[in-house]
Amino acid sequence: MLLHLQTWADVEAYLKTSRGIIVPIGSTEQHGPNGLVGTDAICAEVIGKGIGEAAGALVGPTISVGMAQHHLGFPGSVTLRPTTLIAVIKDYVASLARHGFERIYFINGHGGNIATTTAAFSEIYAEASFDRASNQPSVKCKLRNWWESKAAQALSRELYGDSEGSHATPSEVSLTWFAYPDAARPMTMNPPIAPKGDFTDAADYRRNFPDGRIGSNPGLSSVDAGKRIFDAAVKDLAADYKAFAAS
Ligand SMILES: [Zn+2]
């Protein structure tokens, strides 16, 4: 159930049955020669929506621009500074908490969001900690990276092994092709597996990883693999969401 397709009265009725909500968070950034710029936002949104359907939970609007400063050397990449993203997450959660949501489950599609999102949770908890007189219900936030679902991880290993890599992976590209089959662009990569390593800023990233990939071969992506990864991740994470919402 998508929040933006409900009326306020629907949401009020939902809150009598559950205090949990799923929030997809992704990024808008280059994903190698054949991956969509929206890959991380699409993956988080599609999996978040799948979990919402499986668990009967509301899914909030996707935060589709994340912390991606290191991708700015490639056209189409858009970033928020860490401090801006922290402010966005704080206001988003405070709005939900105002209406009684107490379990906010972030489904994340982008590794570069992890440190900033976790810092935003600490800011949210710090405000509650400083306010001794607060009579607001306590809000709990959780961040889950969809690709760390045990079932999805096992499947990625089985399908792609050493070609999975860490950016523009065949698993995430397959998932976007499953969501938008018309966007599938089969392609042979050269070299087949991209270089690995670390990076600092956008210029450093582009020097080290000229076509945008890190350690991956998204030439192996397919709609079929995307469907299998979707099913595995949703099953796993719906159970995790239900346990969190009931905690
Ligand atoms: Zn990605």
Side-chain angles (χ1 to χ4, degrees):
M1 293 181 291
L2 300 180
L3 178 73
H4 64 264
L5 298 182
Q6 313 295 314
T7 66
W8 68 262
D10 296 337
V11 179
E12 194 168 75
Y14 173 88
L15 279 163
K16 293 198 171 83
T17 67
S18 173
R19 303 258 142 175
I21 188 164
I22 296 158
V23 177
I25 179 166
S27 183
T28 299
E29 64 186 47
Q30 69 79 20
H31 267 76
N34 68 344
L36 305 175
V37 166
T39 295
D40 290 348
I42 293 166
C43 289
E45 184 163 280
V46 161
I47 298 227
K49 209 172 142 189
I51 298 169
E53 275 160 20
L58 268 182
V59 182
T62 302
I63 301 175
S64 54
V65 177
M67 211 307 284
Q69 61 78 20
H70 47 290
H71 292 291
L72 286 180
F74 297 86
S77 301
V78 180
T79 193
L80 301 178
R81 291 161 198 269
T83 44
T84 313
L85 183 56
I86 288 172
V88 168
I89 293 170
K90 278 178 68 183
D91 287 359
Y92 195 138
V93 169
S95 304
L96 293 172
R98 167 103 172 45
H99 306 299
F101 288 98
E102 293 172 8
R103 297 291 178 271
I104 325 287
Y105 189 83
F106 285 80
I107 276 291
N108 181 34
H110 173 49
N113 286 342
I114 297 171
T116 304
T117 306
T118 308
F121 294 172
S122 295
E123 289 277 355
I124 290 161
Y125 300 147
E127 277 184 20
S129 300
F130 281 125
D131 184 3
R132 272 180 66 191
S134 170
N135 59 0
Q136 290 287 311
S138 63
V139 167
K140 263 197 216 174
C141 299
K142 183 168 180 174
L143 179 73
R144 279 306 303 262
N145 304 315
W146 72 262
W147 66 91
E148 283 175 354
S149 133
K150 290 235 179 327
Q153 222 165 30
L155 189 53
S156 295
R157 210 171 299 126
E158 175 197 322
L159 288 168
Y160 299 123
D162 289 343
S163 302
E164 175 70 0
S166 60
H167 184 69
T169 69
S171 293
E172 60 180 344
V173 171
S174 294
L175 194 49
T176 63
W177 290 2
F178 161 65
Y180 296 95
D182 291 347
R185 290 193 213 184
M187 196 183 275
T188 303
M189 298 289 149
N190 183 23
I193 295 186
K196 293 181 183 134
D198 50 21
F199 52 82
T200 55
D201 60 15
D204 186 51
Y205 186 106
R206 185 146 182 171
R207 248 189 326 269
N208 299 345
F209 313 105
D211 71 4
R213 300 174 289 148
I214 304 180
S216 64
N217 181 1
L220 304 174
S221 311
S222 74
V223 174
D224 272 6
K227 159 97 178 101
R228 291 180 66 193
I229 291 164
F230 172 83
D231 289 340
V234 165
K235 190 166 172 235
D236 228 7
L237 295 171
D240 188 58
Y241 167 78
K242 282 188 199 160
F244 173 67
S247 68

